[in-house]
Amino acid sequence: QVQLVESGGGLVQAGASLRLSCAATTRSFSNNAMGWFRQTPGADREFVASIGWKGSNRNYAVSVKGRFTISRDNAKNTVFLEMEGLEPSDTALYYCAASRHATGLSLQTVTSWGQGTQVTVSS
């Protein structure tokens, strides 16, 4: 199991940008698809973005497509989520996740979760 540590969250105004990072601290995840989910109080955890083990096979939720960009650096065991044009509806706790598969990430394929990093967007 991979231990994941997120960073980069914060409080920003609408229209601002943030970059989230997720580092694996126990072993490499270079053979696993990685991604991000988010959750607000009382709501289900929802998929945001994923990236395959080679850095291709990128997928995005409709709500973030064109504004968020996922990338990874396997040499540094880190995955990133670049968020631009943030909206108040993006406010959530963002979780990094590792998949059991090389490509494809869903709630059903997650094997490891980070502890979450809070993103708050004010209007």
Side-chain angles (χ1 to χ4, degrees), residues 23-45:
T25 61
T26 51
R27 68 167 180 82
S28 170
F29 60 71
S30 59
N31 293 326
N32 304 88
M34 299 292 296
W36 296 88
F37 291 79
R38 66 187 183 186
Q39 189 171 24
T40 55
D44 293 333
R45 195 167 294 189

Side-chain angles (χ1 to χ4, degrees), residues 101-113:
H101 302 309
T103 59
L105 175 72
S106 68
L107 284 171
Q108 290 71 37
T109 68
V110 172
T111 57
S112 297
W113 292 101

Side-chain angles (χ1 to χ4, degrees), residues 25-114:
T25 61
T26 51
R27 68 167 180 82
S28 170
F29 60 71
S30 59
N31 293 326
N32 304 88
M34 299 292 296
W36 296 88
F37 291 79
R38 66 187 183 186
Q39 189 171 24
T40 55
D44 293 333
R45 195 167 294 189
E46 66 173 5
F47 171 81
V48 175
S50 66
I51 185 168
W53 70 288
K54 289 185 176 180
S56 56
N57 295 102
R58 303 183 191 196
N59 292 288
Y60 298 93
V62 172
S63 58
V64 307
K65 200 166 188 178
R67 301 187 297 120
F68 291 11
T69 303
I70 190 169
S71 61
R72 66 190 294 163
D73 184 339
N74 286 343
K76 297 182 179 180
N77 287 325
T78 304
V79 64
F80 305 97
L81 186 67
E82 193 78 44
M83 305 185 294
E84 300 178 337
L86 283 163
E87 303 168 353
S89 59
D90 295 316
T91 295
L93 191 58
Y94 283 71
Y95 294 93
C96 179
S99 175
R100 67 169 59 90
H101 302 309
T103 59
L105 175 72
S106 68
L107 284 171
Q108 290 71 37
T109 68
V110 172
T111 57
S112 297
W113 292 101

